[in-house]
mmCIF file of all heavy atoms in Angstrom:
data_model
loop_
_atom_site.group_PDB
_atom_site.id
_atom_site.type_symbol
_atom_site.label_atom_id
_atom_site.label_comp_id
_atom_site.label_asym_id
_atom_site.label_seq_id
_atom_site.Cartn_x
_atom_site.Cartn_y
_atom_site.Cartn_z
ATOM 1 N N THR A 31 49.892 -134.708 99.665
ATOM 2 C CA THR A 31 50.718 -135.457 98.674
ATOM 3 C C THR A 31 49.954 -135.628 97.399
ATOM 4 O O THR A 31 50.520 -135.479 96.283
ATOM 5 C CB THR A 31 51.070 -136.827 99.254
ATOM 6 O OG1 THR A 31 51.846 -136.652 100.444
ATOM 7 C CG2 THR A 31 51.869 -137.638 98.251
ATOM 8 N N VAL A 32 48.652 -135.922 97.464
ATOM 9 C CA VAL A 32 47.847 -136.082 96.261
ATOM 10 C C VAL A 32 47.859 -134.787 95.437
ATOM 11 O O VAL A 32 48.002 -134.795 94.232
ATOM 12 C CB VAL A 32 46.382 -136.461 96.626
ATOM 13 C CG1 VAL A 32 45.458 -136.366 95.389
ATOM 14 C CG2 VAL A 32 46.346 -137.860 97.184
ATOM 15 N N ALA A 33 47.729 -133.648 96.141
ATOM 16 C CA ALA A 33 47.721 -132.364 95.478
ATOM 17 C C ALA A 33 49.083 -132.069 94.830
ATOM 18 O O ALA A 33 49.173 -131.622 93.702
ATOM 19 C CB ALA A 33 47.329 -131.233 96.459
ATOM 20 N N GLU A 34 50.139 -132.342 95.574
ATOM 21 C CA GLU A 34 51.508 -132.031 95.095
ATOM 22 C C GLU A 34 51.895 -132.910 93.887
ATOM 23 O O GLU A 34 52.513 -132.439 92.951
ATOM 24 C CB GLU A 34 52.515 -132.225 96.213
ATOM 25 C CG GLU A 34 52.415 -131.192 97.307
ATOM 26 C CD GLU A 34 53.246 -131.524 98.534
ATOM 27 O OE1 GLU A 34 53.672 -132.684 98.680
ATOM 28 O OE2 GLU A 34 53.475 -130.628 99.367
ATOM 29 N N GLU A 35 51.454 -134.164 93.959
ATOM 30 C CA GLU A 35 51.826 -135.096 92.886
ATOM 31 C C GLU A 35 50.749 -135.203 91.792
ATOM 32 O O GLU A 35 50.900 -136.009 90.869
ATOM 33 C CB GLU A 35 52.125 -136.469 93.494
ATOM 34 C CG GLU A 35 53.311 -136.419 94.447
ATOM 35 C CD GLU A 35 53.747 -137.782 94.964
ATOM 36 O OE1 GLU A 35 53.222 -138.811 94.469
ATOM 37 O OE2 GLU A 35 54.602 -137.838 95.872
ATOM 38 N N LYS A 36 49.675 -134.454 91.956
ATOM 39 C CA LYS A 36 48.573 -134.416 90.970
ATOM 40 C C LYS A 36 48.063 -135.834 90.672
ATOM 41 O O LYS A 36 47.888 -136.229 89.507
ATOM 42 C CB LYS A 36 49.064 -133.726 89.683
ATOM 43 C CG LYS A 36 49.417 -132.279 89.888
ATOM 44 C CD LYS A 36 49.875 -131.615 88.586
ATOM 45 C CE LYS A 36 50.066 -130.112 88.739
ATOM 46 N NZ LYS A 36 51.014 -129.730 89.778
ATOM 47 N N MET A 37 47.821 -136.598 91.710
ATOM 48 C CA MET A 37 47.312 -137.975 91.576
ATOM 49 C C MET A 37 45.839 -137.917 91.281
ATOM 50 O O MET A 37 45.065 -137.265 91.993
ATOM 51 C CB MET A 37 47.616 -138.763 92.846
ATOM 52 C CG MET A 37 49.088 -138.856 93.172
ATOM 53 S SD MET A 37 49.430 -139.759 94.719
ATOM 54 C CE MET A 37 49.190 -141.460 94.188
ATOM 55 N N LYS A 38 45.427 -138.623 90.246
ATOM 56 C CA LYS A 38 44.006 -138.573 89.767
ATOM 57 C C LYS A 38 43.192 -139.754 90.291
ATOM 58 O O LYS A 38 41.981 -139.760 90.090
ATOM 59 C CB LYS A 38 43.986 -138.541 88.266
ATOM 60 C CG LYS A 38 44.689 -137.344 87.639
ATOM 61 C CD LYS A 38 44.090 -136.042 88.052
ATOM 62 C CE LYS A 38 44.743 -134.859 87.337
ATOM 63 N NZ LYS A 38 44.213 -133.542 87.802
ATOM 64 N N ASN A 39 43.832 -140.752 90.878
ATOM 65 C CA ASN A 39 43.111 -141.958 91.267
ATOM 66 C C ASN A 39 43.001 -142.113 92.789
ATOM 67 O O ASN A 39 42.930 -143.261 93.291
ATOM 68 C CB ASN A 39 43.758 -143.218 90.625
ATOM 69 C CG ASN A 39 45.207 -143.434 91.121
ATOM 70 O OD1 ASN A 39 45.896 -142.500 91.478
ATOM 71 N ND2 ASN A 39 45.596 -144.694 91.133
ATOM 72 N N VAL A 40 42.996 -141.007 93.502
ATOM 73 C CA VAL A 40 42.952 -141.061 94.996
ATOM 74 C C VAL A 40 41.917 -140.053 95.535
ATOM 75 O O VAL A 40 41.798 -138.917 95.029
ATOM 76 C CB VAL A 40 44.343 -140.702 95.589
ATOM 77 C CG1 VAL A 40 44.262 -140.765 97.122
ATOM 78 C CG2 VAL A 40 45.413 -141.633 95.088
ATOM 79 N N ALA A 41 41.208 -140.516 96.552
ATOM 80 C CA ALA A 41 40.319 -139.644 97.330
ATOM 81 C C ALA A 41 40.439 -140.031 98.791
ATOM 82 O O ALA A 41 40.884 -141.145 99.126
ATOM 83 C CB ALA A 41 38.890 -139.761 96.846
ATOM 84 N N PHE A 42 40.044 -139.126 99.671
ATOM 85 C CA PHE A 42 40.010 -139.409 101.095
ATOM 86 C C PHE A 42 38.655 -138.981 101.650
ATOM 87 O O PHE A 42 38.019 -138.040 101.147
ATOM 88 C CB PHE A 42 41.123 -138.668 101.841
ATOM 89 C CG PHE A 42 42.511 -139.200 101.580
ATOM 90 C CD1 PHE A 42 43.334 -138.593 100.642
ATOM 91 C CD2 PHE A 42 42.977 -140.343 102.225
ATOM 92 C CE1 PHE A 42 44.599 -139.076 100.385
ATOM 93 C CE2 PHE A 42 44.247 -140.841 101.965
ATOM 94 C CZ PHE A 42 45.052 -140.199 101.053
ATOM 95 N N ILE A 43 38.215 -139.689 102.684
ATOM 96 C CA ILE A 43 36.942 -139.351 103.338
ATOM 97 C C ILE A 43 37.195 -139.273 104.821
ATOM 98 O O ILE A 43 37.737 -140.223 105.428
ATOM 99 C CB ILE A 43 35.854 -140.406 103.063
ATOM 100 C CG1 ILE A 43 35.687 -140.628 101.581
ATOM 101 C CG2 ILE A 43 34.535 -139.955 103.675
ATOM 102 C CD1 ILE A 43 34.792 -141.804 101.223
ATOM 103 N N ARG A 44 36.785 -138.162 105.443
ATOM 104 C CA ARG A 44 36.911 -138.047 106.886
ATOM 105 C C ARG A 44 35.594 -138.460 107.508
ATOM 106 O O ARG A 44 34.606 -137.711 107.514
ATOM 107 C CB ARG A 44 37.252 -136.629 107.295
ATOM 108 C CG ARG A 44 37.505 -136.474 108.787
ATOM 109 C CD ARG A 44 37.719 -135.033 109.187
ATOM 110 N NE ARG A 44 37.945 -134.935 110.622
ATOM 111 C CZ ARG A 44 37.998 -133.778 111.312
ATOM 112 N NH1 ARG A 44 37.866 -132.630 110.666
ATOM 113 N NH2 ARG A 44 38.190 -133.781 112.611
ATOM 114 N N THR A 45 35.566 -139.675 108.057
ATOM 115 C CA THR A 45 34.361 -140.204 108.682
ATOM 116 C C THR A 45 34.702 -141.445 109.444
ATOM 117 O O THR A 45 35.823 -141.952 109.378
ATOM 118 C CB THR A 45 33.229 -140.489 107.652
ATOM 119 O OG1 THR A 45 32.000 -140.770 108.327
ATOM 120 C CG2 THR A 45 33.597 -141.698 106.813
ATOM 121 N N ARG A 46 33.738 -141.979 110.214
ATOM 122 C CA ARG A 46 33.892 -143.260 110.863
ATOM 123 C C ARG A 46 33.645 -144.387 109.907
ATOM 124 O O ARG A 46 32.764 -144.260 109.026
ATOM 125 C CB ARG A 46 32.952 -143.371 112.063
ATOM 126 C CG ARG A 46 33.221 -142.387 113.181
ATOM 127 C CD ARG A 46 32.309 -142.654 114.395
ATOM 128 N NE ARG A 46 32.514 -141.688 115.416
ATOM 129 C CZ ARG A 46 33.484 -141.752 116.328
ATOM 130 N NH1 ARG A 46 34.312 -142.792 116.326
ATOM 131 N NH2 ARG A 46 33.635 -140.827 117.255
ATOM 132 N N VAL A 47 34.313 -145.488 110.060
ATOM 133 C CA VAL A 47 34.111 -146.637 109.205
ATOM 134 C C VAL A 47 32.670 -147.146 109.321
ATOM 135 O O VAL A 47 32.112 -147.708 108.358
ATOM 136 C CB VAL A 47 35.127 -147.752 109.533
ATOM 137 C CG1 VAL A 47 34.877 -149.017 108.755
ATOM 138 C CG2 VAL A 47 36.561 -147.265 109.271
ATOM 139 N N ASP A 48 32.034 -146.898 110.477
ATOM 140 C CA ASP A 48 30.639 -147.298 110.663
ATOM 141 C C ASP A 48 29.727 -146.830 109.539
ATOM 142 O O ASP A 48 28.677 -147.435 109.282
ATOM 143 C CB ASP A 48 30.094 -146.717 111.987
ATOM 144 C CG ASP A 48 30.994 -146.942 113.186
ATOM 145 O OD1 ASP A 48 32.182 -146.579 113.132
ATOM 146 O OD2 ASP A 48 30.494 -147.482 114.202
ATOM 147 N N HIS A 49 30.107 -145.734 108.889
ATOM 148 C CA HIS A 49 29.173 -145.087 107.929
ATOM 149 C C HIS A 49 29.423 -145.484 106.482
ATOM 150 O O HIS A 49 28.796 -144.891 105.599
ATOM 151 C CB HIS A 49 29.300 -143.556 108.050
ATOM 152 C CG HIS A 49 29.012 -143.042 109.418
ATOM 153 N ND1 HIS A 49 27.841 -143.328 110.091
ATOM 154 C CD2 HIS A 49 29.738 -142.250 110.272
ATOM 155 C CE1 HIS A 49 27.867 -142.737 111.286
ATOM 156 N NE2 HIS A 49 29.021 -142.093 111.409
ATOM 157 N N ILE A 50 30.225 -146.498 106.211
ATOM 158 C CA ILE A 50 30.588 -146.755 104.816
ATOM 159 C C ILE A 50 29.403 -147.183 103.958
ATOM 160 O O ILE A 50 29.397 -146.938 102.757
ATOM 161 C CB ILE A 50 31.714 -147.797 104.685
ATOM 162 C CG1 ILE A 50 31.368 -149.086 105.378
ATOM 163 C CG2 ILE A 50 33.023 -147.245 105.193
ATOM 164 C CD1 ILE A 50 32.391 -150.194 105.146
ATOM 165 N N GLU A 51 28.381 -147.768 104.582
ATOM 166 C CA GLU A 51 27.198 -148.170 103.788
ATOM 167 C C GLU A 51 26.400 -146.969 103.301
ATOM 168 O O GLU A 51 25.609 -147.088 102.358
ATOM 169 C CB GLU A 51 26.292 -149.121 104.570
ATOM 170 C CG GLU A 51 26.890 -150.501 104.780
ATOM 171 C CD GLU A 51 26.007 -151.349 105.676
ATOM 172 O OE1 GLU A 51 25.963 -151.067 106.878
ATOM 173 O OE2 GLU A 51 25.365 -152.281 105.162
ATOM 174 N N SER A 52 26.585 -145.840 103.949
ATOM 175 C CA SER A 52 25.911 -144.588 103.497
ATOM 176 C C SER A 52 26.703 -143.948 102.357
ATOM 177 O O SER A 52 26.154 -143.095 101.671
ATOM 178 C CB SER A 52 25.802 -143.611 104.688
ATOM 179 O OG SER A 52 24.995 -144.150 105.699
ATOM 180 N N ILE A 53 27.952 -144.323 102.217
ATOM 181 C CA ILE A 53 28.835 -143.630 101.265
ATOM 182 C C ILE A 53 29.034 -144.432 100.010
ATOM 183 O O ILE A 53 29.218 -143.893 98.894
ATOM 184 C CB ILE A 53 30.207 -143.346 101.953
ATOM 185 C CG1 ILE A 53 29.980 -142.388 103.112
ATOM 186 C CG2 ILE A 53 31.209 -142.772 100.972
ATOM 187 C CD1 ILE A 53 31.180 -142.180 103.981
ATOM 188 N N PHE A 54 28.977 -145.776 100.092
ATOM 189 C CA PHE A 54 29.151 -146.660 98.958
ATOM 190 C C PHE A 54 27.920 -147.519 98.751
ATOM 191 O O PHE A 54 27.282 -147.945 99.703
ATOM 192 C CB PHE A 54 30.379 -147.535 99.144
ATOM 193 C CG PHE A 54 31.654 -146.758 99.335
ATOM 194 C CD1 PHE A 54 32.170 -146.564 100.600
ATOM 195 C CD2 PHE A 54 32.320 -146.229 98.255
ATOM 196 C CE1 PHE A 54 33.318 -145.822 100.800
ATOM 197 C CE2 PHE A 54 33.483 -145.470 98.429
ATOM 198 C CZ PHE A 54 33.978 -145.291 99.697
ATOM 199 N N GLY A 55 27.617 -147.804 97.495
ATOM 200 C CA GLY A 55 26.482 -148.636 97.169
ATOM 201 C C GLY A 55 26.811 -150.108 97.171
ATOM 202 O O GLY A 55 27.992 -150.488 97.372
ATOM 203 N N ARG A 56 25.834 -150.931 96.943
ATOM 204 C CA ARG A 56 26.053 -152.387 96.901
ATOM 205 C C ARG A 56 27.015 -152.752 95.785
ATOM 206 O O ARG A 56 26.897 -152.281 94.674
ATOM 207 C CB ARG A 56 24.744 -153.137 96.732
ATOM 208 C CG ARG A 56 23.834 -153.075 97.963
ATOM 209 C CD ARG A 56 22.641 -154.017 97.814
ATOM 210 N NE ARG A 56 23.111 -155.396 97.787
ATOM 211 C CZ ARG A 56 23.374 -156.119 98.882
ATOM 212 N NH1 ARG A 56 23.264 -155.545 100.095
ATOM 213 N NH2 ARG A 56 23.761 -157.389 98.789
ATOM 214 N N GLN A 57 28.008 -153.559 96.145
ATOM 215 C CA GLN A 57 29.015 -154.035 95.197
ATOM 216 C C GLN A 57 29.741 -152.926 94.454
ATOM 217 O O GLN A 57 30.161 -153.074 93.314
ATOM 218 C CB GLN A 57 28.382 -155.007 94.213
ATOM 219 C CG GLN A 57 27.767 -156.224 94.885
ATOM 220 C CD GLN A 57 27.361 -157.310 93.913
ATOM 221 O OE1 GLN A 57 27.451 -157.179 92.691
ATOM 222 N NE2 GLN A 57 26.892 -158.434 94.430
ATOM 223 N N GLU A 58 29.914 -151.796 95.110
ATOM 224 C CA GLU A 58 30.645 -150.680 94.467
ATOM 225 C C GLU A 58 32.127 -150.778 94.701
ATOM 226 O O GLU A 58 32.902 -150.112 94.006
ATOM 227 C CB GLU A 58 30.091 -149.330 94.989
ATOM 228 C CG GLU A 58 30.580 -148.142 94.191
ATOM 229 C CD GLU A 58 29.866 -146.859 94.549
ATOM 230 O OE1 GLU A 58 29.227 -146.804 95.622
ATOM 231 O OE2 GLU A 58 29.983 -145.896 93.771
ATOM 232 N N VAL A 59 32.564 -151.532 95.687
ATOM 233 C CA VAL A 59 33.960 -151.628 96.092
ATOM 234 C C VAL A 59 34.528 -152.991 95.712
ATOM 235 O O VAL A 59 33.845 -154.015 95.824
ATOM 236 C CB VAL A 59 34.069 -151.403 97.633
ATOM 237 C CG1 VAL A 59 35.506 -151.651 98.104
ATOM 238 C CG2 VAL A 59 33.614 -149.996 97.986
ATOM 239 N N SER A 60 35.776 -153.000 95.259
ATOM 240 C CA SER A 60 36.425 -154.228 94.776
ATOM 241 C C SER A 60 37.370 -154.869 95.797
ATOM 242 O O SER A 60 37.639 -156.069 95.714
ATOM 243 C CB SER A 60 37.152 -154.006 93.495
ATOM 244 O OG SER A 60 36.270 -153.691 92.436
ATOM 245 N N GLU A 61 37.865 -154.104 96.748
ATOM 246 C CA GLU A 61 38.888 -154.617 97.666
ATOM 247 C C GLU A 61 38.983 -153.694 98.854
ATOM 248 O O GLU A 61 38.768 -152.489 98.747
ATOM 249 C CB GLU A 61 40.259 -154.703 96.939
ATOM 250 C CG GLU A 61 41.297 -155.541 97.570
ATOM 251 C CD GLU A 61 42.502 -155.729 96.642
ATOM 252 O OE1 GLU A 61 42.386 -155.439 95.441
ATOM 253 O OE2 GLU A 61 43.585 -156.102 97.166
ATOM 254 N N ILE A 62 39.353 -154.243 100.023
ATOM 255 C CA ILE A 62 39.502 -153.481 101.256
ATOM 256 C C ILE A 62 40.801 -153.812 101.946
ATOM 257 O O ILE A 62 41.138 -155.009 102.104
ATOM 258 C CB ILE A 62 38.334 -153.727 102.213
ATOM 259 C CG1 ILE A 62 37.005 -153.133 101.646
ATOM 260 C CG2 ILE A 62 38.598 -153.151 103.612
ATOM 261 C CD1 ILE A 62 35.779 -153.444 102.477
ATOM 262 N N TRP A 63 41.518 -152.777 102.360
ATOM 263 C CA TRP A 63 42.692 -152.905 103.217
ATOM 264 C C TRP A 63 42.378 -152.321 104.580
ATOM 265 O O TRP A 63 41.855 -151.224 104.677
ATOM 266 C CB TRP A 63 43.895 -152.164 102.632
ATOM 267 C CG TRP A 63 44.570 -152.853 101.495
ATOM 268 C CD1 TRP A 63 44.166 -152.918 100.187
ATOM 269 C CD2 TRP A 63 45.752 -153.679 101.562
ATOM 270 N NE1 TRP A 63 45.016 -153.667 99.437
ATOM 271 C CE2 TRP A 63 46.024 -154.145 100.240
ATOM 272 C CE3 TRP A 63 46.638 -154.007 102.586
ATOM 273 C CZ2 TRP A 63 47.125 -154.948 99.956
ATOM 274 C CZ3 TRP A 63 47.735 -154.804 102.286
ATOM 275 C CH2 TRP A 63 47.959 -155.247 100.993
ATOM 276 N N ILE A 64 42.678 -153.073 105.637
ATOM 277 C CA ILE A 64 42.559 -152.574 107.027
ATOM 278 C C ILE A 64 43.976 -152.575 107.571
ATOM 279 O O ILE A 64 44.551 -153.613 107.844
ATOM 280 C CB ILE A 64 41.618 -153.476 107.854
ATOM 281 C CG1 ILE A 64 40.266 -153.651 107.192
ATOM 282 C CG2 ILE A 64 41.456 -152.928 109.258
ATOM 283 C CD1 ILE A 64 39.360 -154.685 107.836
ATOM 284 N N THR A 65 44.527 -151.389 107.721
ATOM 285 C CA THR A 65 45.930 -151.256 108.066
ATOM 286 C C THR A 65 46.118 -150.702 109.477
ATOM 287 O O THR A 65 45.799 -149.536 109.740
ATOM 288 C CB THR A 65 46.637 -150.347 107.059
ATOM 289 O OG1 THR A 65 45.881 -149.140 106.886
ATOM 290 C CG2 THR A 65 46.742 -151.058 105.678
ATOM 291 N N PHE A 66 46.611 -151.531 110.351
ATOM 292 C CA PHE A 66 46.973 -151.151 111.732
ATOM 293 C C PHE A 66 45.794 -150.448 112.448
ATOM 294 O O PHE A 66 45.950 -149.305 112.933
ATOM 295 C CB PHE A 66 48.235 -150.320 111.769
ATOM 296 C CG PHE A 66 49.424 -151.061 111.195
ATOM 297 C CD1 PHE A 66 49.771 -150.845 109.883
ATOM 298 C CD2 PHE A 66 50.065 -151.996 111.946
ATOM 299 C CE1 PHE A 66 50.836 -151.591 109.323
ATOM 300 C CE2 PHE A 66 51.113 -152.724 111.403
ATOM 301 C CZ PHE A 66 51.501 -152.513 110.101
ATOM 302 N N PRO A 67 44.634 -151.112 112.519
ATOM 303 C CA PRO A 67 43.503 -150.479 113.198
ATOM 304 C C PRO A 67 43.706 -150.499 114.705
ATOM 305 O O PRO A 67 44.503 -151.260 115.241
ATOM 306 C CB PRO A 67 42.347 -151.403 112.797
ATOM 307 C CG PRO A 67 42.997 -152.744 112.624
ATOM 308 C CD PRO A 67 44.333 -152.449 112.008
ATOM 309 N N ASP A 68 42.961 -149.679 115.395
ATOM 310 C CA ASP A 68 42.925 -149.716 116.858
ATOM 311 C C ASP A 68 42.438 -151.117 117.293
ATOM 312 O O ASP A 68 41.352 -151.558 116.877
ATOM 313 C CB ASP A 68 41.936 -148.651 117.341
ATOM 314 C CG ASP A 68 41.920 -148.517 118.868
ATOM 315 O OD1 ASP A 68 42.296 -149.498 119.585
ATOM 316 O OD2 ASP A 68 41.536 -147.429 119.388
ATOM 317 N N PRO A 69 43.194 -151.858 118.075
ATOM 318 C CA PRO A 69 42.786 -153.206 118.456
ATOM 319 C C PRO A 69 41.593 -153.266 119.398
ATOM 320 O O PRO A 69 41.033 -154.324 119.632
ATOM 321 C CB PRO A 69 44.034 -153.798 119.112
ATOM 322 C CG PRO A 69 44.835 -152.612 119.559
ATOM 323 C CD PRO A 69 44.551 -151.517 118.571
ATOM 324 N N GLN A 70 41.217 -152.126 119.972
ATOM 325 C CA GLN A 70 40.056 -152.028 120.833
ATOM 326 C C GLN A 70 40.021 -153.112 121.885
ATOM 327 O O GLN A 70 39.066 -153.894 121.980
ATOM 328 C CB GLN A 70 38.781 -152.117 119.975
ATOM 329 C CG GLN A 70 38.610 -150.999 118.963
ATOM 330 C CD GLN A 70 38.239 -149.660 119.584
ATOM 331 O OE1 GLN A 70 37.976 -149.553 120.789
ATOM 332 N NE2 GLN A 70 38.184 -148.634 118.765
ATOM 333 N N PRO A 71 41.010 -153.181 122.765
ATOM 334 C CA PRO A 71 41.021 -154.182 123.830
ATOM 335 C C PRO A 71 39.820 -153.965 124.740
ATOM 336 O O PRO A 71 39.532 -152.852 125.197
ATOM 337 C CB PRO A 71 42.325 -153.936 124.565
ATOM 338 C CG PRO A 71 42.712 -152.520 124.203
ATOM 339 C CD PRO A 71 42.200 -152.288 122.821
ATOM 340 N N GLY A 72 39.061 -155.020 124.949
ATOM 341 C CA GLY A 72 37.855 -154.948 125.806
ATOM 342 C C GLY A 72 36.658 -154.411 125.118
ATOM 343 O O GLY A 72 35.562 -154.328 125.723
ATOM 344 N N LYS A 73 36.773 -154.043 123.829
ATOM 345 C CA LYS A 73 35.600 -153.521 123.075
ATOM 346 C C LYS A 73 35.493 -154.280 121.763
ATOM 347 O O LYS A 73 35.669 -153.704 120.672
ATOM 348 C CB LYS A 73 35.764 -152.008 122.818
ATOM 349 C CG LYS A 73 35.863 -151.152 124.073
ATOM 350 C CD LYS A 73 36.054 -149.703 123.763
ATOM 351 C CE LYS A 73 36.178 -148.869 125.010
ATOM 352 N NZ LYS A 73 36.445 -147.431 124.661
#
């Protein structure tokens, strides 16, 4: 969709959320959405 609509303000990263501190620096992010995550029952 990003390619088809030529959106300039979007990126995607294929990785585990565990690794976000390796990808973003301190105070580099302004807001976070967590949308329908795995509820991990028992974990």
Side-chain angles (χ1 to χ4, degrees):
T31 299
V32 170
E34 290 171 345
E35 299 186 7
K36 297 179 172 59
M37 301 177 76
K38 302 298 184 183
N39 63 332
V40 180
F42 289 98
I43 307 171
R44 185 185 180 190
T45 191
R46 295 185 183 276
V47 175
D48 311 54
H49 302 306
I50 57 174
E51 289 175 288
S52 298
I53 296 171
F54 301 99
R56 290 190 66 82
Q57 299 191 357
E58 192 170 15
V59 173
S60 293
E61 196 171 343
I62 291 175
W63 283 80
I64 305 171
T65 49
F66 300 97
D68 186 336
Q70 298 287 353
K73 299 178 182 178

